[in-house]
Amino acid sequence: VSHHLAKMNAYWRSEKWGKLQLQYAFQFDDRKEYDIRRGDRSEIPSLDLDLQSQQLELNLEHKEWGQLQGRMGFSGSYKQNRNDTTGVRPLIPYYDQYGLGAFWIEQWKQEKWELEAGVRYDFQHLLVKKFSPTNELLKPTFSFRNVSASIGGIVRLNEKLTFRSNLGTAFRPPN
């Protein structure tokens, strides 16, 4: 496995809005797996994948609104998986994956209390290229959407005892 990563972070502070953060990441993975094969093909990988990933995130930590502190943001991602020729049908097919997300989290703090609530929307689109058992090229597409949310709280009863509670939903699209 050969793994390469490049990442860039930047931020800008505004007296009016708060802290705006931008992050971009690029990742490239080259994975080769070998097995004993017939003939003189043992030097050819049984699995040879090239995965390229890009991710962009934009977040705003807003200035306090009374006793509320929070942040909101967007994220986008793109992944491309390619198989090099190995002489066998690929275990993991070619695919292009696009993802978008948006979130908002707010936190309210007092001396003994903290409350936090958040919501997130996610969308993912997947375009797959694979061969059927009869060697017909298939190009199925899949789209997934979801809204996730959470709410939680902390009560500090004394210096040694704290009560925490959280209720939430989560989402992870099939891979």
Side-chain angles (χ1 to χ4, degrees):
V1 175
S2 175
H3 176 76
H4 306 277
L5 174 66
K7 195 176 194 180
M8 186 262 325
N9 288 301
Y11 69 91
W12 176 65
R13 289 192 191 273
S14 165
E15 290 292 323
K16 186 176 182 181
W17 296 102
K19 183 180 180 183
L20 186 65
Q21 296 173 290
L22 177 70
Q23 178 176 291
Y24 171 77
F26 174 83
Q27 184 173 304
F28 179 74
D29 294 305
D30 183 15
R31 178 176 177 170
K32 292 176 175 34
E33 292 187 12
Y34 294 86
D35 200 354
I36 298 172
R37 298 178 72 178
R38 293 182 181 162
D40 59 350
R41 298 177 50 191
S42 291
E43 298 300 316
I44 300 172
S46 299
L47 181 67
D48 192 349
L49 302 174
D50 293 331
L51 177 61
Q52 187 182 112
S53 305
Q54 297 183 60
Q55 188 167 3
L56 182 68
E57 294 182 3
L58 180 66
N59 298 318
L60 173 66
E61 289 181 27
H62 67 73
K63 291 186 63 133
E64 288 186 20
W65 298 337
Q67 293 179 323
L68 285 178
Q69 295 176 327
R71 62 188 188 278
M72 56 197 75
F74 299 94
S75 63
S77 65
Y78 171 68
K79 291 183 181 180
Q80 181 183 63
N81 183 67
R82 297 295 180 255
N83 293 285
D84 290 334
T85 303
T86 61
V88 296
R89 188 179 306 267
L91 177 64
I92 300 173
Y94 278 54
Y95 67 84
D96 292 310
Q97 177 182 315
Y98 305 88
L100 294 171
F103 73 93
W104 187 356
I105 300 171
E106 291 295 331
Q107 188 177 51
W108 176 78
K109 288 185 180 182
Q110 291 287 320
E111 186 176 319
K112 294 187 178 235
W113 292 82
E114 285 183 36
L115 294 174
E116 184 176 272
V119 64
R120 180 175 177 91
Y121 173 78
D122 286 291
F123 169 79
Q124 184 179 46
H125 182 75
L126 194 61
L127 169 63
V128 179
K129 295 178 185 174
K130 66 178 192 166
F131 288 99
S132 72
T134 59
N135 284 333
E136 177 187 0
L137 179 61
L138 304 175
K139 296 180 183 179
T141 61
F142 305 93
S143 292
F144 305 97
R145 295 167 184 78
N146 190 66
V147 175
S148 302
S150 69
I151 187 166
I154 299 173
V155 180
R156 290 177 191 80
L157 301 172
N158 58 44
E159 288 183 22
K160 296 182 179 181
L161 188 60
T162 301
F163 176 77
R164 297 173 188 260
S165 180
N166 187 54
L167 179 65
T169 65
F171 168 71
R172 183 174 177 188
N175 206 356

